[in-house]
Amino acid sequence: MATTQSNNKAFFFNYLQSLSQTPHRLRKRMLATWTPDQELNRIRLRSGADMKRKLRWYDLVALGVGGMLGVGVFVTTGPVARNNSGPSVFISYIIAGISALLSSLCYTEFSVQIPVAGGAFSYLRVTFGEFVGYFAGANILMEYVLSNAAVARSFTEYLCSAFGISDPNSWRVEVHGLLEGYNKLDFLAVAIVLILTLCLCHSTKESSILNLIMTIFHVVFFGFIIIMSFSNGSVDNLVKPKGLTPNGIRGVLDGAAIVYFSYIGYDSVSTLAEEIQNPPVTLPVGIIGSVLIVSGLYCLMALALCMMVPYNQIAEKASFSMAFQSIGWKWAGNVVGAGASLGIVASLLVAMLGQARYLCVIGRARLVPSWLSKVHPSTGTPLNATLFLGICTASIALFTDLDIVIEMISIGTLLVFYLVANALIYRKYVMTGKNSPFLTLSFLFLVTTCAIGFSISWKLEQQWWGLPLFGGITIAVIACFQSTVPCLGQPSEWSVPLMPWPAAISIFLNVFLMTTLKMLSFQRFAIWACLITLFYVLYGVHSTFEAEEMEMEVAVNEVPNPSIQLTKLEV
């Protein structure tokens, strides 16, 4: 007992001593970056065993398609069609799809250059430093956990419709005394999350085969819905009762920001970079191919739903099942419920696969406890991270209603994609192109400022003059930067074409779509941002500082002139 108390006192004293050095450690660590070589080799060794390279290009395409399909169509289409876009919800999907495609191009180039499991966290850490990488990584984890919890609850809704039950809450347990939105316990959602967690702990390859089978079935099932809807629906429903865009272009764009949630999934493909064969070829096919396939299917499915039922009669819960039942096809509604449930399982499988790899790599960086970074030697999977996040997801799925988290998910996703697009431009033009940081940072600032100005003009309905003004300035700034600042980086195995246009337009669209979200989303996001920043100041920066100091001491003792150096972001 005395020894334990002594150890606790020593730990507490050491921690207080560490806190007293916080300003010094923040200065040293916040902008500390790694080279891609260090990320690929030295950092990866901290997980112990390597992940096993068993996945091929078709596995990646199936994982990307499976990861997106179940989330988007079955969770967001109905509510957005009814409350925002009306029958033009398919246009919302096109706009969100263009933005997702541009972001996916940025992800693809980074993933080919830095094929590690950290995805956006690793890309931003090697470009903008530790804190930006950590901030993005924490937001990605929030996005994954919340979206997986939301999707797990929608699984219950569609499974109910598969059994002909119209009220999904009949399978939930209402607890009086809890806040509204948190008072309906969903044990079925918890069960599906925990079962998938155990599958993912066992093997990535077997999980991908299961996903491939479900995705093939799911695409065939989508074909059934589209053909049946187009055969039995009416084009009149696209223009009645209030036209194609009942809430105007504003409703279409507001809807685009919400359905962006549907494209969560393709970024999880980039987290499998350590488990695929021939990354330079496989990653571009997997990431871009899955986004294109899914975008087409989303538009067709959105059209199918709005042709079956007038937009103001679409059910917000289990929309497709209810639509078939409303035209008298109860059996089809049951089939849709069963197929949608399977699609949701596939999307959950992929998303939970990705979230564990993100946390594993953040653990390698010592920004969270290092036991989360361990890879099991026999299964080749990040076992601890998978179990930890599975339990977190199940806990949120038990209590929290979908409406509470969906917009917060979109804002986190859009912010991360915005940062990745900025990082790609900075890396290509400054870190590999050897241009002045000032010109590139000024360009990024101007594009962001113009996007904010355009968005404010959009919000203030009377200030229409701002739209052509800020839009025109954006185009002029991009064209000027392209003609005056050369892109002299070393040729890569895969590069985004027509730079800087795709990345700059991605920045503009992500900012614009963020500003269309409700103020409540920003308030909740601000609270989350404060919490993760506090965690970094109280834990992350001290953990990484001590880990790096220890490794540098070992390197100095082993090598007279150590070649491994941390670099600083040049600003």
Side-chain angles (χ1 to χ4, degrees):
M1 180 68 75
T3 306
T4 304
Q5 288 179 346
S6 175
N7 289 340
N8 289 339
K9 284 180 182 177
F11 173 79
F12 184 67
F13 176 76
N14 290 336
Y15 181 65
L16 288 178
Q17 197 172 30
S18 298
L19 284 182
S20 67
Q21 299 174 26
T22 299
H24 165 69
R25 293 184 174 189
L26 285 172
R27 283 194 301 272
K28 192 163 184 180
R29 294 300 314 161
M30 281 186 74
L31 297 180
T33 64
W34 296 91
T35 65
D37 231 18
Q38 291 167 338
E39 195 76 35
L40 286 167
N41 298 304
R42 177 179 163 190
I43 303 299
R44 194 166 66 176
L45 291 175
R46 292 177 178 176
S47 286
D50 282 340
M51 297 182 194
K52 296 179 180 179
R53 293 190 180 274
K54 292 184 176 181
L55 304 180
R56 299 179 182 272
W57 67 268
Y58 51 82
D59 292 312
L60 248 61
V61 172
L63 286 164
V65 170
M68 286 182 275
L69 281 184
V71 177
V73 172
F74 300 120
V75 176
T76 59
T77 307
V80 170
R82 185 181 177 96
N83 302 321
N84 302 94
S85 306
S88 60
V89 63
F90 73 95
I91 301 176
S92 296
Y93 272 115
I94 291 172
I95 295 167
I98 291 169
S99 184
L101 180 62
L102 293 172
S103 294
S104 73
L105 292 174
C106 301
Y107 262 83
T108 301
E109 180 163 338
F110 264 125
S111 65
V112 169
Q113 291 180 1
I114 313 169
V116 293
F121 165 74
S122 296
Y123 311 152
L124 291 167
R125 197 163 75 115
V126 300
T127 308
F128 288 145
E130 182 176 277
F131 179 73
V132 176
Y134 161 79
F135 190 81
N139 276 291
I140 292 165
L141 286 176
M142 174 202 71
E143 160 218 311
Y144 269 117
V145 170
L146 291 183
S147 65
N148 290 342
V151 171
R153 286 182 74 90
S154 69
F155 171 80
T156 302
E157 293 164 6
Y158 273 98
L159 198 62
C160 279
S161 67
F163 286 92
I165 300 168
S166 57
D167 181 17
N169 288 328
S170 61
W171 282 14
R172 292 173 178 147
V173 179
E174 186 170 357
V175 178
H176 300 289
L178 293 178
L179 289 173
E180 184 67 29
Y182 302 90
N183 60 340
K184 292 182 174 66
L185 306 188
D186 195 330
F187 291 101
L188 189 59
V190 172
I192 193 65
V193 168
L194 294 179
I195 289 168
L196 290 176
T197 298
L198 294 175
C199 289
L200 292 170
C201 287
H202 176 63
S203 169
T204 302
K205 180 62 179 176
E206 278 69 18
S207 299
S208 76
I209 292 170
L210 175 63
N211 172 76
L212 181 61
I213 294 167
M214 288 192 293
T215 300
I216 291 170
F217 175 82
H218 203 201
V219 171
V220 172
F221 163 69
F222 267 42
F224 163 78
I225 294 178
I226 292 165
I227 292 168
M228 290 296 103
S229 302
F230 277 55
S231 302
N232 297 279
S234 171
V235 178
D236 290 342
N237 287 333
L238 296 177
V239 292
K240 292 179 181 179
K242 296 181 180 179
L244 184 66
T245 56
N247 297 316
I249 188 68
R250 187 174 301 278
V252 174
L253 291 173
D254 288 348
I258 297 172
V259 300
Y260 205 90
F261 166 72
S262 313
Y263 290 92
I264 294 172
Y266 78 79
D267 57 319
S268 64
V269 173
S270 68
T271 67
L272 299 169
E274 291 182 26
E275 298 165 82
I276 59 175
Q277 299 171 13
N278 195 10
V281 174
T282 306
L283 282 164
V285 173
I287 296 173
I288 299 171
S290 59
V291 171
L292 290 173
I293 292 168
V294 166
S295 297
L297 287 171
Y298 278 165
C299 293
L300 291 172
M301 289 287 284
L303 273 171
L305 179 63
C306 293
M307 283 177 65
M308 275 196 293
V309 185
Y311 82 92
N312 58 343
Q313 296 177 26
I314 293 173
E316 292 196 41
K317 305 289 186 182
S319 308
F320 284 87
S321 292
M322 296 299 110
F324 274 111
Q325 290 183 24
S326 70
I327 62 172
W329 287 29
K330 188 173 180 182
W331 67 270
N334 295 348
V335 170
V336 169
S341 302
L342 189 64
I344 284 168
V345 171
S347 70
L348 265 177
L349 182 75
V350 178
M352 291 173 68
L353 197 70
Q355 70 180 13
R357 278 135 190 86
Y358 269 118
L359 185 58
C360 172
V361 175
I362 294 171
R364 286 177 187 170
R366 301 297 186 259
L367 288 161
V368 294
S370 59
W371 63 270
L372 289 167
S373 70
K374 298 303 178 187
V375 173
H376 196 276
S378 60
T379 63
T381 60
L383 187 67
N384 295 341
T386 303
L387 287 170
F388 176 76
L389 289 175
I391 292 168
C392 290
T393 303
S395 302
I396 295 171
L398 179 63
F399 292 98
T400 313
D401 196 27
L402 171 66
D403 298 333
I404 292 171
V405 299
I406 194 166
E407 285 201 14
M408 192 171 169
I409 296 164
S410 289
I411 193 173
T413 307
L414 289 164
L415 176 65
V416 172
F417 292 170
Y418 163 82
L419 290 172
V420 170
N422 277 273
L424 181 65
I425 291 175
Y426 188 88
R427 183 167 183 79
K428 281 184 80 79
Y429 285 88
V430 178
M431 299 181 78
T432 59
K434 307 301 180 186
N435 292 299
S436 164
F438 176 76
L439 286 174
T440 304
L441 290 173
S442 300
F443 167 68
L444 295 174
F445 175 76
L446 282 172
V447 172
T448 301
T449 304
C450 288
I452 294 171
F454 185 92
S455 304
I456 292 171
S457 300
W458 177 262
K459 286 282 187 184
L460 304 172
E461 297 181 31
Q462 288 77 26
Q463 307 297 324
W464 289 107
W465 57 267
L467 301 180
L469 174 66
F470 287 109
I473 291 173
T474 302
I475 293 170
V477 165
I478 298 171
C480 182
F481 182 78
Q482 184 185 33
S483 61
T484 57
V485 182
C487 186
L488 303 173
Q490 296 175 347
S492 172
E493 291 172 287
W494 196 95
S495 295
V496 177
L498 303 174
M499 280 292 285
W501 289 94
I505 295 170
S506 177
I507 291 169
F508 189 93
L509 284 175
N510 284 321
V511 171
F512 177 73
L513 291 174
M514 267 193 279
T515 60
T516 62
L517 297 171
K518 294 175 185 174
M519 183 55 68
L520 184 60
S521 300
F522 287 91
Q523 292 168 350
R524 287 173 176 161
F525 179 76
I527 294 169
W528 170 250
C530 290
L531 289 174
I532 59 177
T533 301
L534 188 64
F535 181 84
Y536 178 76
V537 171
L538 294 179
Y539 177 84
V541 70
H542 304 292
S543 178
T544 58
F545 180 87
E546 288 165 9
E548 299 309 326
E549 289 294 306
M550 251 193 223
E551 288 193 9
M552 291 299 284
E553 281 178 22
V554 170
V556 168
N557 291 333
E558 291 180 353
V559 185
N561 296 307
S563 59
I564 297 174
Q565 295 287 337
L566 285 177
T567 62
K568 292 281 182 181
L569 175 66
E570 296 175 354
V571 179

